[in-house]
Amino acid sequence: MATTSLWHINGRLTDLVAYVENPEKTERPLRDLDDLWAAAGYIQRPEATEGGRYVTAINCLATTAVHQMIATKRQYGKDDGIIAYHGYQSFRPGEITPDTCHEIGVALARQMWGNRFQVLVTTHLDKGHLHNHFCLNSVSFVDGKKYNYSKSERRRMMELSDVLCKAYGLSVIEHPHKAPSRPIYLDEQDGKPTRYNVYRMDVEAALEGNCVPQNVERYLRQLGYQTDFTGAHWKIKLPQYQHYTRLDTLNPEWTRENLKQRLAWNPLIVTHGEVTHSPYHTQESIRGYQPHGKPSRLKCLYLFWCYELGILPKHTDYKPTSPLLREDLRKLDQYIAQLNYLIANDIETMDELQADISRLDARLQELSAQRQALYNQMRRATGDRLDALRAERDKVSEQIASVRKELKMVKTIETRSRHVQETLDHVIDQERELRAKEKTSTERGIAR
């Protein structure tokens, strides 16, 4: 069984040429090329490839691959944008030998790109699982056209990998699906309340308390989910997401047939029917928050949001029941840091936040110009003067990193405040609806 992936690397050819032609005397290139340096050095590491035994070059020589790729780019004038692709093919631990792994990787690269592109293929043995790396020139040496890694190409890469695995007697993934991003995957493994972990908990709760699909669907809708139990696969999603998630993706056992059978075998279960939200935690009257308004009073909005998440007041036992809120519990540290930033900088309104963004942008431009001036002086300096300039450049680079971090924080607050407002609006609308239903039920009981 093998999994595959490929991603692009951006940069400028002039920086690449300067580095390759004289790497010892060339200053560290632009940040955009960091991934390229990492890829070029990483995939050919002697300690990972048994001293270079598992390194194969296609349409170029392994020792001069980067130089030949540069020559191709110069020949066709394609010297910016996506300059390369880096990918992998990873196998299940213990399923394959290094020689076979490398054979499959080379065969895959030849079938995918061998007729038009220059490729480096390496096999790494330094992890618990064997895997191949690919470094692909983005420009064809045949016609100068750039490679387009589209959805169809991604699918073709997976299909060719599966064909090769079957030919070598290896297993394949029978029902492939898009994996979550690595941060979400790691959070899921740690049991944090990611979207999918929240989905699983709520679906399991719905299944435990109901005996017919209609009541399962009703329970999930009352929690705030949008559901679709009409097709071959039952699906749910929260309002802020565009796409539904199939239940059998959350749990392979939750197919339509299995769930119907499971519910049919529990006819004596008493259906809980409705979700209980008591006591109500949402306080619409908190000063500074207006439902369905613009997120203008940011500090008040964030304070209210932390209250709803159970962060404030300290030592509270409250835990949010709405899945709209529970998923964001995995970002507690981020929200606390953002609230602290608003308080520390006395930022109350969106206008003040915009002014802070402008201030940081100006500071970043000032520092960048200062560093560029140091780079210019370093080209003509030698000896102690060069060392002094380098030390000064490093200090400026640290300041730039700090300002960039702060600017990222402020811009995140700007975009996330809209998410906070929309989520609170959903939760409040849901609470209002539940209160109205409870009031109607009570009035009907009194009338009887």
Side-chain angles (χ1 to χ4, degrees):
M1 179 187 74
T3 59
T4 58
S5 183
L6 193 73
W7 57 94
H8 64 265
I9 300 171
N10 287 320
R12 294 190 306 179
L13 184 60
T14 52
D15 299 307
L16 178 59
V17 172
Y19 178 79
V20 171
E21 290 183 348
N22 202 345
E24 294 182 358
K25 294 185 179 180
T26 304
E27 290 299 319
R28 183 70 174 173
L30 296 179
R31 287 178 172 271
D32 291 343
L33 292 180
D34 281 353
D35 287 343
L36 179 58
W37 314 131
Y42 178 80
I43 70 171
Q44 295 191 75
R45 287 178 299 139
E47 65 272 21
T49 60
E50 257 190 30
R53 176 182 174 185
Y54 296 109
V55 177
T56 298
I58 300 174
N59 299 319
C60 57
L61 298 175
T63 54
T64 58
V66 177
H67 292 80
Q68 289 178 264
M69 291 180 183
I70 290 173
T72 299
K73 294 176 184 297
R74 280 176 163 169
Q75 178 183 352
Y76 293 103
K78 303 290 181 67
D79 58 358
D80 57 5
I82 296 175
I83 61 173
Y85 286 87
H86 182 193
Y88 69 80
Q89 180 187 35
S90 181
F91 294 87
R92 178 183 290 171
E95 189 179 39
I96 195 172
T97 65
D99 288 336
T100 303
C101 179
H102 192 66
E103 284 180 24
I104 293 176
V106 173
L108 176 60
R110 290 192 188 281
Q111 293 183 41
M112 281 291 298
W113 311 293
N115 61 335
R116 296 182 60 227
F117 295 93
Q118 296 152 320
V119 193
L120 270 176
V121 184
T122 68
T123 299
H124 283 196
L125 320 179
D126 58 335
K127 303 293 183 182
H129 60 285
L130 296 178
H131 56 284
N132 296 312
H133 282 271
F134 310 102
C135 188
L136 166 70
N137 189 6
S138 62
V139 179
S140 169
F141 67 91
V142 175
D143 53 19
K145 292 183 179 179
K146 279 201 166 185
Y147 179 64
N148 178 27
Y149 186 53
S150 60
K151 289 183 179 180
S152 61
E153 280 291 278
R154 182 177 65 188
R155 185 166 53 252
R156 186 167 77 95
M157 188 176 179
M158 290 190 295
E159 291 172 351
L160 286 174
S161 178
D162 285 348
V163 169
L164 288 167
C165 286
K166 289 179 180 178
Y168 279 81
L170 304 176
S171 61
V172 298
I173 301 174
E174 295 296 338
H175 303 289
H177 63 276
K178 184 179 180 181
S181 65
R182 183 166 180 78
I184 292 180
Y185 170 78
L186 294 175
D187 284 347
E188 282 196 21
Q189 300 306 303
D190 292 340
K192 293 183 180 180
T194 65
R195 182 202 324 180
Y196 304 111
N197 280 343
V198 170
Y199 283 7
R200 291 185 188 98
M201 292 172 59
D202 289 338
V203 171
E204 188 60 49
L207 294 172
E208 288 296 329
N210 287 294
C211 63
V212 292
Q214 292 84 348
N215 284 344
V216 172
E217 197 169 11
R218 178 186 178 194
Y219 177 86
L220 291 170
R221 285 180 176 175
Q222 288 179 333
L223 279 177
Y225 288 99
Q226 296 175 7
T227 64
D228 181 0
F229 285 13
T230 59
H233 305 281
W234 291 359
K235 299 175 288 187
I236 64 172
K237 77 179 185 74
L238 288 171
Q240 66 265 41
Y241 297 113
Q242 181 180 359
H243 301 291
Y244 281 88
T245 298
R246 285 167 38 174
L247 298 193
D248 57 355
T249 298
L250 300 172
N251 185 337
E253 299 296 322
W254 288 348
T255 62
R256 182 172 180 266
E257 294 72 20
N258 286 351
L259 290 175
K260 281 192 171 184
Q261 186 177 22
R262 171 177 171 175
L263 294 171
W265 277 100
N266 293 283
L268 299 179
I269 292 179
V270 178
T271 63
H272 47 50
E274 294 187 2
V275 182
T276 302
H277 290 256
S278 182
Y280 295 106
H281 187 70
T282 302
Q283 301 291 330
E284 301 172 32
S285 60
I286 284 186
R287 185 179 179 185
Y289 171 73
Q290 294 295 329
H292 298 284
K294 292 183 179 180
S296 55
R297 302 193 64 183
L298 292 175
K299 193 190 298 183
C300 293
L301 179 65
Y302 263 80
L303 284 168
F304 183 50
W305 178 246
C306 290
Y307 170 78
E308 281 297 298
L309 291 178
I311 304 173
L312 298 174
K314 293 182 178 179
H315 311 300
T316 179
D317 294 329
Y318 165 76
K319 299 297 179 186
T321 57
S322 170
L324 290 164
L325 296 172
R326 277 159 44 216
E327 183 195 350
D328 270 6
L329 287 174
R330 62 185 285 263
K331 303 172 185 174
L332 287 183
D333 292 341
Q334 296 177 33
Y335 285 120
I336 291 173
Q338 290 161 18
L339 176 59
N340 288 339
Y341 183 89
L342 292 173
I343 293 173
N345 291 275
D346 196 26
I347 297 175
E348 294 278 358
T349 67
M350 187 64 76
D351 289 341
E352 292 174 351
L353 190 73
Q354 293 291 346
D356 201 43
I357 291 176
S358 298
R359 176 186 65 82
L360 291 170
D361 275 329
R363 178 59 177 160
L364 186 60
Q365 291 177 16
E366 177 186 341
L367 289 171
S368 298
Q370 186 177 343
R371 185 170 65 176
Q372 186 59 51
L374 291 170
Y375 275 127
N376 294 338
Q377 295 178 53
M378 288 169 60
R379 291 193 183 99
R380 300 181 294 273
T382 58
D384 293 341
R385 174 59 177 166
L386 180 59
D387 292 339
L389 289 171
R390 282 175 175 167
E392 190 175 351
R393 175 207 58 189
D394 291 342
K395 290 181 180 179
V396 175
S397 294
E398 290 178 4
Q399 295 178 49
I400 288 176
S402 177
V403 173
R404 279 178 174 160
K405 183 178 180 180
E406 196 172 350
L407 186 59
K408 182 180 179 181
M409 167 82 74
V410 178
K411 289 184 176 179
T412 301
I413 293 173
E414 180 185 24
T415 55
R416 191 164 285 177
S417 62
R418 299 184 184 93
H419 161 74
V420 169
Q421 182 80 48
E422 290 170 2
T423 303
L424 287 173
D425 289 344
H426 280 299
V427 171
I428 284 181
D429 288 345
Q430 184 182 351
E431 295 285 10
R432 284 175 174 174
E433 185 177 345
L434 288 171
R435 288 174 181 174
K437 286 182 178 179
E438 287 184 3
K439 183 178 180 181
T440 302
S441 298
T442 303
E443 289 174 350
R444 286 176 179 174
I446 294 173
R448 291 175 184 175

mmCIF file of all heavy atoms in Angstrom, residues 40-78:
data_model
loop_
_atom_site.group_PDB
_atom_site.id
_atom_site.type_symbol
_atom_site.label_atom_id
_atom_site.label_comp_id
_atom_site.label_asym_id
_atom_site.label_seq_id
_atom_site.Cartn_x
_atom_site.Cartn_y
_atom_site.Cartn_z
ATOM 1 N N ALA A 40 16.129 20.157 -2.153
ATOM 2 C CA ALA A 40 17.332 19.735 -2.869
ATOM 3 C C ALA A 40 18.319 19.044 -1.935
ATOM 4 O O ALA A 40 18.934 18.044 -2.297
ATOM 5 C CB ALA A 40 17.981 20.937 -3.545
ATOM 6 N N GLY A 41 18.475 19.584 -0.728
ATOM 7 C CA GLY A 41 19.405 18.972 0.210
ATOM 8 C C GLY A 41 18.814 17.777 0.926
ATOM 9 O O GLY A 41 19.487 16.778 1.168
ATOM 10 N N TYR A 42 17.526 17.863 1.243
ATOM 11 C CA TYR A 42 16.882 16.836 2.062
ATOM 12 C C TYR A 42 16.773 15.500 1.343
ATOM 13 O O TYR A 42 17.081 14.455 1.894
ATOM 14 C CB TYR A 42 15.492 17.330 2.478
ATOM 15 C CG TYR A 42 14.699 16.322 3.286
ATOM 16 C CD1 TYR A 42 14.941 16.161 4.648
ATOM 17 C CD2 TYR A 42 13.710 15.546 2.689
ATOM 18 C CE1 TYR A 42 14.216 15.248 5.398
ATOM 19 C CE2 TYR A 42 12.987 14.624 3.435
ATOM 20 C CZ TYR A 42 13.245 14.480 4.784
ATOM 21 O OH TYR A 42 12.541 13.572 5.518
ATOM 22 N N ILE A 43 16.340 15.530 0.079
ATOM 23 C CA ILE A 43 16.024 14.260 -0.578
ATOM 24 C C ILE A 43 17.272 13.455 -0.923
ATOM 25 O O ILE A 43 17.182 12.253 -1.143
ATOM 26 C CB ILE A 43 15.173 14.469 -1.855
ATOM 27 C CG1 ILE A 43 15.994 15.113 -2.969
ATOM 28 C CG2 ILE A 43 13.924 15.256 -1.548
ATOM 29 C CD1 ILE A 43 15.266 15.139 -4.291
ATOM 30 N N GLN A 44 18.475 14.115 -0.974
ATOM 31 C CA GLN A 44 19.688 13.379 -1.340
ATOM 32 C C GLN A 44 20.615 13.148 -0.142
ATOM 33 O O GLN A 44 21.777 12.783 -0.325
ATOM 34 C CB GLN A 44 20.455 14.132 -2.428
ATOM 35 C CG GLN A 44 19.698 14.237 -3.738
ATOM 36 C CD GLN A 44 20.584 14.750 -4.853
ATOM 37 O OE1 GLN A 44 21.426 14.051 -5.387
ATOM 38 N NE2 GLN A 44 20.372 16.009 -5.206
ATOM 39 N N ARG A 45 20.111 13.318 1.072
ATOM 40 C CA ARG A 45 20.961 13.143 2.248
ATOM 41 C C ARG A 45 21.613 11.758 2.278
ATOM 42 O O ARG A 45 20.920 10.746 2.178
ATOM 43 C CB ARG A 45 20.135 13.323 3.527
ATOM 44 C CG ARG A 45 19.735 14.759 3.826
ATOM 45 C CD ARG A 45 18.887 14.841 5.067
ATOM 46 N NE ARG A 45 17.654 14.083 4.885
ATOM 47 C CZ ARG A 45 17.117 13.313 5.816
ATOM 48 N NH1 ARG A 45 17.702 13.165 6.990
ATOM 49 N NH2 ARG A 45 15.986 12.665 5.587
ATOM 50 N N PRO A 46 22.927 11.667 2.398
ATOM 51 C CA PRO A 46 23.604 10.368 2.402
ATOM 52 C C PRO A 46 23.102 9.441 3.505
ATOM 53 O O PRO A 46 22.960 8.238 3.299
ATOM 54 C CB PRO A 46 25.081 10.745 2.613
ATOM 55 C CG PRO A 46 25.192 12.140 2.113
ATOM 56 C CD PRO A 46 23.883 12.782 2.455
ATOM 57 N N GLU A 47 22.838 10.011 4.698
ATOM 58 C CA GLU A 47 22.418 9.170 5.810
ATOM 59 C C GLU A 47 21.045 8.538 5.587
ATOM 60 O O GLU A 47 20.700 7.539 6.211
ATOM 61 C CB GLU A 47 22.418 9.967 7.126
ATOM 62 C CG GLU A 47 21.414 11.118 7.199
ATOM 63 C CD GLU A 47 21.963 12.418 6.648
ATOM 64 O OE1 GLU A 47 22.932 12.379 5.867
ATOM 65 O OE2 GLU A 47 21.401 13.476 7.001
ATOM 66 N N ALA A 48 20.237 9.149 4.690
ATOM 67 C CA ALA A 48 18.895 8.613 4.426
ATOM 68 C C ALA A 48 18.866 7.703 3.208
ATOM 69 O O ALA A 48 17.956 6.896 3.044
ATOM 70 C CB ALA A 48 17.897 9.755 4.235
ATOM 71 N N THR A 49 19.854 7.843 2.322
ATOM 72 C CA THR A 49 19.833 7.105 1.051
ATOM 73 C C THR A 49 20.972 6.093 0.935
ATOM 74 O O THR A 49 21.342 5.686 -0.157
ATOM 75 C CB THR A 49 19.931 8.098 -0.128
ATOM 76 O OG1 THR A 49 21.152 8.836 -0.018
ATOM 77 C CG2 THR A 49 18.752 9.060 -0.121
ATOM 78 N N GLU A 50 21.535 5.682 2.076
ATOM 79 C CA GLU A 50 22.669 4.746 2.101
ATOM 80 C C GLU A 50 23.817 5.256 1.245
ATOM 81 O O GLU A 50 24.269 4.599 0.310
ATOM 82 C CB GLU A 50 22.229 3.346 1.655
ATOM 83 C CG GLU A 50 22.069 2.402 2.805
ATOM 84 C CD GLU A 50 21.879 0.937 2.378
ATOM 85 O OE1 GLU A 50 22.397 0.520 1.325
ATOM 86 O OE2 GLU A 50 21.209 0.234 3.132
ATOM 87 N N GLY A 51 24.239 6.476 1.554
ATOM 88 C CA GLY A 51 25.373 7.053 0.865
ATOM 89 C C GLY A 51 25.136 7.347 -0.594
ATOM 90 O O GLY A 51 26.080 7.393 -1.393
ATOM 91 N N GLY A 52 23.882 7.573 -0.980
ATOM 92 C CA GLY A 52 23.562 7.884 -2.370
ATOM 93 C C GLY A 52 23.240 6.676 -3.216
ATOM 94 O O GLY A 52 23.014 6.800 -4.431
ATOM 95 N N ARG A 53 23.168 5.503 -2.596
ATOM 96 C CA ARG A 53 22.848 4.282 -3.366
ATOM 97 C C ARG A 53 21.466 4.370 -3.985
ATOM 98 O O ARG A 53 21.240 3.906 -5.103
ATOM 99 C CB ARG A 53 22.942 3.066 -2.445
ATOM 100 C CG ARG A 53 22.531 1.752 -3.120
ATOM 101 C CD ARG A 53 22.589 0.598 -2.151
ATOM 102 N NE ARG A 53 22.075 -0.632 -2.752
ATOM 103 C CZ ARG A 53 21.918 -1.775 -2.102
ATOM 104 N NH1 ARG A 53 22.276 -1.859 -0.820
ATOM 105 N NH2 ARG A 53 21.426 -2.835 -2.718
ATOM 106 N N TYR A 54 20.523 4.945 -3.234
ATOM 107 C CA TYR A 54 19.143 5.011 -3.717
ATOM 108 C C TYR A 54 18.823 6.411 -4.240
ATOM 109 O O TYR A 54 17.906 7.080 -3.767
ATOM 110 C CB TYR A 54 18.172 4.598 -2.614
ATOM 111 C CG TYR A 54 18.360 3.150 -2.192
ATOM 112 C CD1 TYR A 54 18.914 2.835 -0.953
ATOM 113 C CD2 TYR A 54 18.012 2.115 -3.044
ATOM 114 C CE1 TYR A 54 19.110 1.521 -0.566
ATOM 115 C CE2 TYR A 54 18.190 0.789 -2.676
ATOM 116 C CZ TYR A 54 18.744 0.495 -1.433
ATOM 117 O OH TYR A 54 18.934 -0.821 -1.076
ATOM 118 N N VAL A 55 19.603 6.871 -5.181
ATOM 119 C CA VAL A 55 19.366 8.146 -5.860
ATOM 120 C C VAL A 55 19.427 7.891 -7.365
ATOM 121 O O VAL A 55 20.420 7.383 -7.870
ATOM 122 C CB VAL A 55 20.433 9.208 -5.476
ATOM 123 C CG1 VAL A 55 20.191 10.493 -6.263
ATOM 124 C CG2 VAL A 55 20.394 9.485 -3.973
ATOM 125 N N THR A 56 18.347 8.233 -8.066
ATOM 126 C CA THR A 56 18.285 8.044 -9.517
ATOM 127 C C THR A 56 17.826 9.341 -10.169
ATOM 128 O O THR A 56 16.856 9.959 -9.713
ATOM 129 C CB THR A 56 17.316 6.913 -9.895
ATOM 130 O OG1 THR A 56 17.792 5.684 -9.339
ATOM 131 C CG2 THR A 56 17.219 6.763 -11.410
ATOM 132 N N ALA A 57 18.526 9.751 -11.208
ATOM 133 C CA ALA A 57 18.150 10.942 -11.971
ATOM 134 C C ALA A 57 17.555 10.517 -13.308
ATOM 135 O O ALA A 57 18.078 9.622 -13.978
ATOM 136 C CB ALA A 57 19.363 11.825 -12.195
ATOM 137 N N ILE A 58 16.465 11.147 -13.706
ATOM 138 C CA ILE A 58 15.794 10.866 -14.975
ATOM 139 C C ILE A 58 15.921 12.093 -15.868
ATOM 140 O O ILE A 58 15.558 13.204 -15.469
ATOM 141 C CB ILE A 58 14.310 10.511 -14.738
ATOM 142 C CG1 ILE A 58 14.196 9.263 -13.842
ATOM 143 C CG2 ILE A 58 13.581 10.284 -16.056
ATOM 144 C CD1 ILE A 58 12.775 8.929 -13.431
ATOM 145 N N ASN A 59 16.470 11.904 -17.052
ATOM 146 C CA ASN A 59 16.692 12.981 -18.042
ATOM 147 C C ASN A 59 17.725 14.010 -17.575
ATOM 148 O O ASN A 59 17.736 15.150 -18.046
ATOM 149 C CB ASN A 59 15.380 13.689 -18.396
ATOM 150 C CG ASN A 59 14.366 12.736 -19.004
ATOM 151 O OD1 ASN A 59 14.712 11.887 -19.819
ATOM 152 N ND2 ASN A 59 13.105 12.868 -18.587
ATOM 153 N N CYS A 60 18.552 13.627 -16.608
ATOM 154 C CA CYS A 60 19.636 14.485 -16.139
ATOM 155 C C CYS A 60 20.597 13.612 -15.347
ATOM 156 O O CYS A 60 20.353 12.421 -15.142
ATOM 157 C CB CYS A 60 19.113 15.640 -15.286
ATOM 158 S SG CYS A 60 18.132 15.124 -13.849
ATOM 159 N N LEU A 61 21.710 14.188 -14.895
ATOM 160 C CA LEU A 61 22.669 13.481 -14.061
ATOM 161 C C LEU A 61 22.463 13.877 -12.602
ATOM 162 O O LEU A 61 22.218 15.043 -12.297
ATOM 163 C CB LEU A 61 24.097 13.822 -14.490
ATOM 164 C CG LEU A 61 24.482 13.430 -15.929
ATOM 165 C CD1 LEU A 61 25.886 13.937 -16.241
ATOM 166 C CD2 LEU A 61 24.396 11.929 -16.123
ATOM 167 N N ALA A 62 22.579 12.909 -11.708
ATOM 168 C CA ALA A 62 22.332 13.186 -10.295
ATOM 169 C C ALA A 62 23.284 14.238 -9.749
ATOM 170 O O ALA A 62 22.906 15.074 -8.924
ATOM 171 C CB ALA A 62 22.455 11.894 -9.484
ATOM 172 N N THR A 63 24.540 14.231 -10.214
ATOM 173 C CA THR A 63 25.546 15.150 -9.682
ATOM 174 C C THR A 63 25.358 16.585 -10.177
ATOM 175 O O THR A 63 25.832 17.534 -9.551
ATOM 176 C CB THR A 63 26.952 14.666 -10.059
ATOM 177 O OG1 THR A 63 27.020 14.484 -11.483
ATOM 178 C CG2 THR A 63 27.272 13.349 -9.363
ATOM 179 N N THR A 64 24.692 16.752 -11.316
ATOM 180 C CA THR A 64 24.516 18.102 -11.892
ATOM 181 C C THR A 64 23.048 18.394 -12.182
ATOM 182 O O THR A 64 22.732 19.226 -13.033
ATOM 183 C CB THR A 64 25.329 18.230 -13.194
ATOM 184 O OG1 THR A 64 24.896 17.220 -14.128
ATOM 185 C CG2 THR A 64 26.810 18.085 -12.933
ATOM 186 N N ALA A 65 22.144 17.730 -11.463
ATOM 187 C CA ALA A 65 20.714 17.834 -11.766
ATOM 188 C C ALA A 65 20.212 19.267 -11.677
ATOM 189 O O ALA A 65 19.503 19.752 -12.573
ATOM 190 C CB ALA A 65 19.915 16.933 -10.828
ATOM 191 N N VAL A 66 20.567 19.971 -10.591
ATOM 192 C CA VAL A 66 20.056 21.332 -10.421
ATOM 193 C C VAL A 66 20.583 22.247 -11.521
ATOM 194 O O VAL A 66 19.851 23.090 -12.049
ATOM 195 C CB VAL A 66 20.430 21.874 -9.028
ATOM 196 C CG1 VAL A 66 19.961 23.309 -8.864
ATOM 197 C CG2 VAL A 66 19.820 21.002 -7.937
ATOM 198 N N HIS A 67 21.858 22.100 -11.886
ATOM 199 C CA HIS A 67 22.431 22.917 -12.956
ATOM 200 C C HIS A 67 21.707 22.671 -14.280
ATOM 201 O O HIS A 67 21.439 23.605 -15.050
ATOM 202 C CB HIS A 67 23.920 22.604 -13.124
ATOM 203 C CG HIS A 67 24.758 23.040 -11.969
ATOM 204 N ND1 HIS A 67 24.852 22.316 -10.802
ATOM 205 C CD2 HIS A 67 25.542 24.151 -11.787
ATOM 206 C CE1 HIS A 67 25.653 22.939 -9.959
ATOM 207 N NE2 HIS A 67 26.094 24.054 -10.529
ATOM 208 N N GLN A 68 21.387 21.403 -14.572
ATOM 209 C CA GLN A 68 20.694 21.081 -15.816
ATOM 210 C C GLN A 68 19.266 21.635 -15.803
ATOM 211 O O GLN A 68 18.748 22.068 -16.829
ATOM 212 C CB GLN A 68 20.692 19.568 -16.039
ATOM 213 C CG GLN A 68 22.075 19.022 -16.393
ATOM 214 C CD GLN A 68 22.073 17.516 -16.553
ATOM 215 O OE1 GLN A 68 22.389 16.790 -15.625
ATOM 216 N NE2 GLN A 68 21.708 17.043 -17.725
ATOM 217 N N MET A 69 18.638 21.612 -14.644
ATOM 218 C CA MET A 69 17.294 22.187 -14.537
ATOM 219 C C MET A 69 17.336 23.700 -14.782
ATOM 220 O O MET A 69 16.453 24.265 -15.435
ATOM 221 C CB MET A 69 16.698 21.884 -13.157
ATOM 222 C CG MET A 69 16.364 20.417 -12.932
ATOM 223 S SD MET A 69 15.657 20.120 -11.278
ATOM 224 C CE MET A 69 15.472 18.339 -11.300
ATOM 225 N N ILE A 70 18.379 24.346 -14.247
ATOM 226 C CA ILE A 70 18.546 25.784 -14.470
ATOM 227 C C ILE A 70 18.739 26.064 -15.958
ATOM 228 O O ILE A 70 18.170 27.011 -16.517
ATOM 229 C CB ILE A 70 19.742 26.319 -13.663
ATOM 230 C CG1 ILE A 70 19.419 26.307 -12.170
ATOM 231 C CG2 ILE A 70 20.106 27.739 -14.096
ATOM 232 C CD1 ILE A 70 20.604 26.653 -11.293
ATOM 233 N N ALA A 71 19.561 25.231 -16.625
ATOM 234 C CA ALA A 71 19.814 25.421 -18.057
ATOM 235 C C ALA A 71 18.524 25.319 -18.859
ATOM 236 O O ALA A 71 18.291 26.094 -19.804
ATOM 237 C CB ALA A 71 20.831 24.392 -18.545
ATOM 238 N N THR A 72 17.667 24.386 -18.491
ATOM 239 C CA THR A 72 16.375 24.239 -19.172
ATOM 240 C C THR A 72 15.523 25.478 -18.978
ATOM 241 O O THR A 72 14.897 25.987 -19.923
ATOM 242 C CB THR A 72 15.635 22.993 -18.643
ATOM 243 O OG1 THR A 72 16.418 21.834 -18.910
ATOM 244 C CG2 THR A 72 14.268 22.855 -19.299
ATOM 245 N N LYS A 73 15.477 26.011 -17.762
ATOM 246 C CA LYS A 73 14.680 27.202 -17.485
ATOM 247 C C LYS A 73 15.205 28.403 -18.275
ATOM 248 O O LYS A 73 14.438 29.194 -18.826
ATOM 249 C CB LYS A 73 14.697 27.505 -15.984
ATOM 250 C CG LYS A 73 14.001 26.458 -15.126
ATOM 251 C CD LYS A 73 14.155 26.793 -13.650
ATOM 252 C CE LYS A 73 13.551 25.703 -12.774
ATOM 253 N NZ LYS A 73 12.112 25.554 -12.981
ATOM 254 N N ARG A 74 16.548 28.545 -18.324
ATOM 255 C CA ARG A 74 17.138 29.653 -19.075
ATOM 256 C C ARG A 74 16.841 29.525 -20.577
ATOM 257 O O ARG A 74 16.592 30.521 -21.265
ATOM 258 C CB ARG A 74 18.639 29.656 -18.852
ATOM 259 C CG ARG A 74 19.061 30.288 -17.537
ATOM 260 C CD ARG A 74 20.559 30.173 -17.352
ATOM 261 N NE ARG A 74 21.043 31.101 -16.335
ATOM 262 C CZ ARG A 74 22.271 31.056 -15.825
ATOM 263 N NH1 ARG A 74 23.125 30.134 -16.239
ATOM 264 N NH2 ARG A 74 22.643 31.937 -14.923
ATOM 265 N N GLN A 75 16.896 28.302 -21.072
ATOM 266 C CA GLN A 75 16.682 28.082 -22.502
ATOM 267 C C GLN A 75 15.315 28.584 -22.940
ATOM 268 O O GLN A 75 15.167 29.151 -24.026
ATOM 269 C CB GLN A 75 16.817 26.594 -22.816
ATOM 270 C CG GLN A 75 16.573 26.239 -24.285
ATOM 271 C CD GLN A 75 16.642 24.743 -24.526
ATOM 272 O OE1 GLN A 75 17.011 23.981 -23.635
ATOM 273 N NE2 GLN A 75 16.290 24.317 -25.736
ATOM 274 N N TYR A 76 14.306 28.396 -22.067
ATOM 275 C CA TYR A 76 12.940 28.766 -22.437
ATOM 276 C C TYR A 76 12.458 30.033 -21.733
ATOM 277 O O TYR A 76 11.286 30.412 -21.858
ATOM 278 C CB TYR A 76 11.990 27.609 -22.135
ATOM 279 C CG TYR A 76 12.234 26.397 -23.010
ATOM 280 C CD1 TYR A 76 12.906 25.279 -22.510
ATOM 281 C CD2 TYR A 76 11.812 26.380 -24.331
ATOM 282 C CE1 TYR A 76 13.138 24.162 -23.310
ATOM 283 C CE2 TYR A 76 12.032 25.273 -25.142
ATOM 284 C CZ TYR A 76 12.707 24.176 -24.623
ATOM 285 O OH TYR A 76 12.929 23.079 -25.428
ATOM 286 N N GLY A 77 13.324 30.698 -20.974
ATOM 287 C CA GLY A 77 12.942 31.953 -20.330
ATOM 288 C C GLY A 77 11.895 31.792 -19.246
ATOM 289 O O GLY A 77 11.142 32.726 -18.969
ATOM 290 N N LYS A 78 11.831 30.619 -18.617
ATOM 291 C CA LYS A 78 10.855 30.379 -17.545
ATOM 292 C C LYS A 78 11.599 30.432 -16.211
ATOM 293 O O LYS A 78 12.079 29.420 -15.697
ATOM 294 C CB LYS A 78 10.189 29.013 -17.731
ATOM 295 C CG LYS A 78 9.495 28.817 -19.071
ATOM 296 C CD LYS A 78 8.248 29.674 -19.184
ATOM 297 C CE LYS A 78 7.535 29.469 -20.520
ATOM 298 N NZ LYS A 78 6.954 28.153 -20.687
#
